[in-house]
Amino acid sequence: MKLFTKGLLLIAIPSVIELVLLGVVFDTQEAATRAARSAENSKQILWQASSLVDPLLRESARVRTGIALEDPSFIDRHAVWTEFADRIALLSRMVADNPAQLARVDHMRAAAYAWRAQAGDVADALRAGRSIAWARAQGAALPPEIETVRSELAEFIDAEAQLDARRTASSSFTRERQQDALIAAVVGSMLVWGAAAIVFARNVGGRLAALGDNAWRLGEGGKLAPALSGNDEIAALDAVLHQTSTRLRDAEREQVALKRQLQARAADLTGANEHLRQETQDNEMFIYSVSHDLRSPLVNLQGFSKELQVSCDDLRAQIDSAGLPADEHRRMTELLDGDVNESLQFLRQAVGRAAAIIDALLRISRVGRLEYRWQRVNMGRIVERVLTGLESGRGLDAARIDVRELPPAWGDPAAIEQIFGNLVDNALQHLDPGRPGHIEIGALAVLPEEGGAGNASEVSNVDGREAAAKPAPRTGAATQPRTRTYYVRDNGVGIPAAYLPKLFRAFQRLHGAGTGGSAGREGKASSVGGEGIGLVLARRIAERHGGRMWVESVEGSGSTFFVALPEQPLRAA
């Protein structure tokens, strides 16, 4: 049974019982009212009956006075009979529901009017001067008609007095019954509602208490009591609680299993990180030692090449002063100026290239060991210093550089300056000579997104196409800050799609494709300088800041490099 039905029954049953009790109260009240009305009517009848004979007695005295004085004016009194007629008519209406009393009233009326007729005859005889000796002979005795009225009236009053006593007793009884019924209604109503409350407490209240106990146990993670029986809403909610408890236990078991897996994977990851750290440290030490060890042979090679050049110059001077035959002089000169000089030039270039590679390796090894000075960085000033430090011979005069509003970031100023210096230098190196160069430096607008710090989603329009700036990869919820994305955009020759995966590898200048940022044209491979580590260094610096770097490029249209840097401290400065 549903709770709504139970509630209706709990309300309807006491209400019906109360209506019955109220009906009994109203019935007893109506009976008491009728009894009181009957008792009051009896008292009115007795009062009217007690004064009914008075007009007849007064008229009898007048008749005797008129006979004695032989004056008929004492007898003919219409007012007396009018008063009697009114009283007898009122008494007749008051006892209309009592046939016995009504008969007595009619008998008294007949006797009274008979006496009236006799009194009229006496008055007529006195007016005619006839003898009224029979009246004198009657003396002071009342006429038999009036005696009849008096005797009937006495019986009438006795009967009405008995009836009044019974009605008074009935009225008292009904009032007592009314009081008893009212008390019974109040007590019964209280008992009915008390019984309803007990039923509610035992049924609905007890079930609600059991449901609340199960909810508390579910919240505390304890075992639930047995499921409630029935098909009402409380039983349905209790069934939901049991289902939830079962699912929670299953989820806890799965959580324990996942926690074990996570701990195992965390241990594996810790070991892998430690192994990677050790390998990185070994690689950096290896790079440093190799670079340091290679410097000495290179210095020797550079010195020997200079000594050979000096020796070649001395030999040429001696040949010029030796006065050799023309053919021998020409052959010796061609040998010195051709093969020997070209070999020395290639040797010097190889030594310079090897020295540059060693310097690049040292810079790469130092990137991971440098301690950054963390602070809030004014990006506008950083870019201004980068542009001021550029040489005009590197294409600065051939390109228009626009700097947009750059909000501040958090990091090391020198390292961030190196990032933008490499990106701007890269863009200048790979401008398209077929059109005026244009470089734009700015920041993407941040779109608010649910998820808080580290989940900012940024969008920018790059040369008419939409580019989505991806957030930095998470390194831990406690250390991952909200990032701001900056960009360096150029209208150079762009990068072919096939070269994009190799763009951030060390020493990958890609020749005809450029060193990232802009692709070279055919025949321009030798015009692009550098060791091919600028973008690698920039990307590693960005990652050490908790950010990332990526590129979007279309061959023939230009490239856009994105750098995501933190807006707030990644760790205590």
Side-chain angles (χ1 to χ4, degrees):
M1 186 180 297
K2 300 297 182 182
L3 285 179
F4 182 75
T5 306
K6 290 182 179 179
L8 287 180
L9 290 177
L10 287 175
I11 295 174
I13 293 175
S15 299
V16 170
I17 296 175
E18 281 198 350
L19 288 176
V20 173
L21 293 175
L22 287 176
V24 173
V25 170
F26 289 151
D27 183 66
T28 55
Q29 184 177 3
E30 183 65 23
T33 302
R34 288 196 303 269
R37 192 181 299 114
S38 298
E40 183 65 23
N41 189 35
S42 296
K43 289 179 173 53
Q44 290 291 335
I45 291 172
L46 289 174
W47 183 79
Q48 289 292 338
S50 63
S51 60
L52 180 64
V53 76
D54 291 343
L56 297 179
L57 294 176
R58 290 196 301 270
E59 183 63 18
S60 177
R62 288 180 178 278
V63 168
R64 286 196 298 271
T65 301
I67 292 173
L69 298 177
E70 297 182 354
D71 185 359
S73 60
F74 284 96
I75 299 174
D76 192 7
R77 301 286 292 183
H78 295 286
V80 172
W81 295 107
T82 300
E83 180 182 359
F84 178 79
D86 293 339
R87 290 187 177 186
I88 198 70
L90 177 60
L91 190 61
S92 178
R93 288 194 300 271
M94 295 176 69
V95 297
D97 58 344
N98 192 340
Q101 293 291 78
L102 184 61
R104 290 188 180 94
V105 171
D106 292 339
H107 194 192
M108 286 187 289
R109 182 187 289 111
Y113 279 106
W115 161 242
R116 181 182 180 183
Q118 188 176 359
D121 293 340
V122 171
D124 292 339
L126 290 176
R127 291 189 189 95
R130 292 196 299 269
S131 173
I132 50 173
W134 60 273
R136 291 191 182 94
Q138 192 174 15
L142 292 175
E145 292 83 359
I146 294 178
E147 288 292 343
T148 300
V149 171
R150 292 184 66 181
S151 63
E152 289 290 339
L153 184 60
E155 294 178 1
F156 180 88
I157 290 174
D158 290 341
E160 195 64 34
Q162 295 175 5
L163 182 61
D164 178 62
R166 290 196 300 272
R167 288 178 175 176
T168 301
S170 176
S171 177
S172 299
F173 175 75
T174 53
R175 281 197 299 271
E176 293 177 358
R177 183 183 174 190
Q178 180 185 8
Q179 292 177 358
D180 294 341
L182 183 60
I183 293 172
V186 173
V187 174
S189 177
M190 295 175 63
L191 291 176
V192 167
W193 284 110
I198 292 173
V199 171
F200 178 83
R202 288 183 177 179
N203 189 348
V204 179
R207 293 166 67 82
L208 286 176
L211 180 65
D213 181 65
N214 277 340
W216 180 82
R217 293 186 181 186
L218 180 63
E220 294 295 326
K223 185 178 180 181
L224 271 62
L228 296 174
S229 60
N231 61 347
D232 57 358
E233 291 84 351
I234 298 177
L237 287 175
D238 189 66
V240 171
L241 289 180
H242 280 78
Q243 293 175 3
T244 304
S245 177
T246 302
R247 292 176 181 176
L248 285 176
R249 287 196 298 270
D250 295 340
E252 287 177 357
R253 287 193 292 268
E254 292 178 0
Q255 185 180 8
V256 170
L258 290 175
K259 186 176 181 180
R260 293 196 186 113
Q261 295 178 5
L262 182 61
Q263 290 174 349
R265 293 183 180 180
D268 295 340
L269 182 60
T270 301
N273 287 336
E274 180 62 24
H275 180 68
L276 180 60
R277 186 191 65 80
Q278 187 65 38
E279 285 189 353
T280 302
Q281 186 176 0
D282 294 342
N283 289 335
E284 290 177 352
M285 292 300 298
F286 173 75
I287 292 174
Y288 179 79
S289 61
V290 169
S291 302
H292 185 271
D293 293 341
L294 287 178
R295 278 187 177 276
S296 179
L298 288 177
V299 170
N300 293 334
L301 286 174
Q302 189 175 18
F304 288 139
S305 65
K306 290 181 179 179
E307 289 294 333
L308 286 174
Q309 184 66 47
V310 172
S311 299
C312 288
D313 291 340
D314 291 341
L315 182 58
R316 181 182 180 84
Q318 291 179 9
I319 291 173
D320 290 341
S321 63
L324 295 174
D327 292 338
E328 293 182 3
H329 183 273
R330 179 176 55 80
R331 287 196 303 270
M332 296 292 292
T333 303
E334 289 177 356
L335 181 62
L336 290 175
D337 293 340
D339 295 339
V340 175
N341 190 34
E342 184 177 357
S343 298
L344 289 175
Q345 183 178 357
F346 278 124
L347 179 61
R348 287 194 295 269
Q349 289 178 354
V351 170
R353 177 61 180 163
I357 292 174
I358 291 173
D359 290 337
L361 289 173
L362 289 175
R363 288 200 299 272
I364 292 175
S365 66
R366 282 196 293 266
V367 168
R369 300 197 305 269
L370 288 177
E371 290 294 332
Y372 288 157
R373 295 181 292 109
W374 297 94
Q375 58 185 277
R376 187 165 296 280
V377 180
N378 188 326
M379 300 299 293
R381 292 182 182 176
I382 292 293
V383 174
E384 182 180 353
R385 287 203 300 267
V386 169
L387 298 181
T388 302
L390 289 176
E391 300 177 2
S392 60
R394 305 197 68 175
L396 187 59
D397 296 336
R400 177 170 61 89
I401 300 178
D402 294 332
V403 180
R404 309 300 181 189
E405 182 179 356
L406 299 173
W410 187 265
D412 182 83
I416 294 177
E417 183 177 349
Q418 187 175 0
I419 292 176
F420 282 89
N422 289 341
L423 293 179
V424 174
D425 183 69
N426 182 78
L428 289 173
Q429 288 182 11
H430 302 93
L431 292 174
D432 190 344
R435 60 175 178 267
H438 181 212
I439 299 174
E440 180 181 341
I441 304 172
L444 301 185
V446 178
L447 300 179
E449 175 179 293
E450 296 180 2
N455 288 332
S457 178
E458 301 158 335
V459 176
S460 175
N461 186 279
V462 182
D463 295 335
R465 60 190 185 277
E466 293 295 326
K470 304 175 183 177
R474 289 185 175 272
T475 59
T479 60
Q480 180 64 27
R482 183 180 177 89
T483 58
R484 168 74 68 175
T485 302
Y486 305 89
Y487 64 88
V488 176
R489 181 185 306 158
D490 64 66
N491 65 340
V493 292
I495 306 172
Y499 291 102
L500 287 176
K502 304 177 182 179
L503 187 62
F504 292 101
R505 295 180 184 176
F507 309 112
Q508 294 290 331
R509 289 182 293 170
L510 306 180
H511 298 288
T515 49
S518 304
R521 296 274 182 108
E522 211 46 58
K524 290 291 183 180
S526 61
S527 64
V528 179
E531 295 80 27
I533 65 167
L535 296 179
V536 178
L537 291 176
R539 189 175 192 179
R540 289 198 64 182
I541 293 172
E543 290 175 350
R544 280 204 62 192
H545 279 74
R548 67 188 297 255
M549 179 187 294
W550 68 100
V551 64
E552 292 182 357
S553 181
V554 177
E555 187 176 6
S557 298
S559 304
T560 302
F561 283 83
F562 297 95
V563 182
L565 296 174
E567 285 186 326
Q568 54 192 357
L570 180 65
R571 60 185 180 184

